[in-house]
């Protein structure tokens, strides 16, 4: 299966992503994890990306698209993958469509985790990651609303979007995600 996993920062995407890739044997492609690894390794891409990440802004599309383009060539992606945190802009979604059309490997679904904004702020404030100061959290939510939310309409139109309620226990949410994925054709 080839799945895009979409949801605001603090929705619990990382936790669910790990369970889903284990359950379905998909590769886990988290652009946030890739960027943090590049930043910690102090590569040129990592240094560039850090300037945006530290402010809660999105890293420029061309950097992200290049990283994902390379990652999708790796052999483990042949067995399917979960894209976690990518695409985050319409331009990224269009670039992904082009890459997948070239390979003749369309997406199976776009899974959206829905969580109300006040709950997100509460969860993010409790998480304590270095990029989780109140101002950075606010900026990341703004970036989600402005740049990423338009993807819901984009994928809604293509019929790929499956939205699930992101409130409840980790197990409850995982069951909802599984029910949505198990109902996919093929
Ligand atoms: P995440 O762990 O997915 O919340 O990502 C952490 C940070 O990495 C984000 O706040 C962005 O600065 C950057 N980032 C991750 N994925 C992307 C993406 N697809 N496009 C742009 N920036 C991204």
């Amino acid at each position: 299966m080839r799945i895009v996993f979409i949801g605001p920062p603090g929705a619990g995407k990382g936790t669910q992503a790990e369970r889903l890739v284990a359950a379905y044997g998909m590769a886990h492609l988290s652009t946030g994890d890739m960027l943090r690894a590049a930043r910690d390794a102090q590569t040129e891409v990592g240094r560039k990306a850090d300037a945006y990440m530290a402010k809660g802004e999105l890293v420029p599309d061309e950097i992200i698209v290049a990283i994902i383009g390379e990652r999708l060539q790796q052999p483990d992606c042949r067995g399917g993958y979960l894209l976690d945190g990518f695409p985050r802009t319409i331009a990224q979604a269009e670039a992904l469509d082009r890459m997948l059309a070239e390979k003749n490997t369309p997406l199976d679904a776009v899974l959206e985790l829905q969580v109300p904004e006040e709950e997100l702020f509460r969860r993010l404030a409790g998480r304590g990651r270095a990029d989780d100061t109140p101002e950075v959290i606010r900026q990341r939510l703004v970036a989600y609303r402005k740049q990423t939310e338009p993807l819901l309409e984009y994928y809604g139109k293509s019929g790929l979007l499956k939205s699930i309620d992101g409130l409840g226990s980790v197990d409850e949410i995982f069951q909802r995600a599984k029910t949505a994925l198990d109902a996919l054709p093929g």
Side-chain angles (χ1 to χ4, degrees):
M1 260 193 308
R2 290 176 292 274
I3 305 291
V4 164
F5 198 21
I6 200 166
K13 242 176 341 105
T15 306
Q16 294 298 332
E18 273 169 29
R19 296 194 54 169
L20 288 168
V21 296
Y24 291 93
M26 302 179 278
H28 184 188
L29 273 49
S30 159
T31 43
D33 285 352
M34 293 174 206
L35 292 171
R36 280 185 286 278
R39 179 192 62 194
D40 295 348
Q42 299 188 19
T43 66
E44 199 192 327
V45 163
R47 269 195 297 270
K48 268 193 207 157
D50 187 40
Y52 299 90
M53 295 166 76
K55 290 190 281 185
E57 293 172 10
L58 294 187
V59 171
D61 290 332
E62 56 275 17
I63 294 181
I64 295 287
V65 168
I67 292 176
I68 279 288
E70 258 177 51
R71 184 66 185 84
L72 287 173
Q73 310 283 357
Q74 303 295 310
D76 63 328
C77 290
R78 279 186 224 136
Y81 46 80
L82 183 82
L83 285 165
D84 171 6
F86 176 90
R88 262 181 157 95
T89 65
I90 295 281
Q92 291 177 19
E94 290 172 345
L96 178 64
D97 279 350
R98 283 192 295 272
M99 290 189 278
L100 298 186
E102 254 171 47
K103 292 183 208 284
N104 204 13
T105 55
L107 292 171
D108 293 292
V110 174
L111 191 63
E112 183 211 359
L113 203 50
Q114 292 181 322
V115 177
E117 185 137 322
E118 58 280 11
E119 173 68 11
L120 296 174
F121 209 88
R122 211 179 56 75
R123 291 188 194 176
L124 285 164
R127 197 160 73 172
R129 216 163 72 183
D131 56 351
D132 283 350
T133 65
E135 180 47 31
V136 173
I137 291 172
R138 200 190 60 78
Q139 185 50 51
R140 294 173 74 215
L141 290 170
V142 167
Y144 182 78
R145 263 205 312 269
K146 275 206 198 149
Q147 292 169 277
T148 307
E149 254 179 13
L151 292 180
L152 300 176
E153 197 191 331
Y154 180 89
Y155 287 123
K157 278 186 189 149
S158 58
L160 288 171
L161 187 65
K162 313 283 164 206
S163 299
I164 59 166
D165 180 2
L167 288 180
S169 71
V170 169
D171 281 335
E172 281 165 349
I173 299 161
F174 178 65
Q175 285 309 322
R176 288 177 202 141
K178 253 184 118 260
T179 302
L181 296 186
D182 288 343
L184 293 174

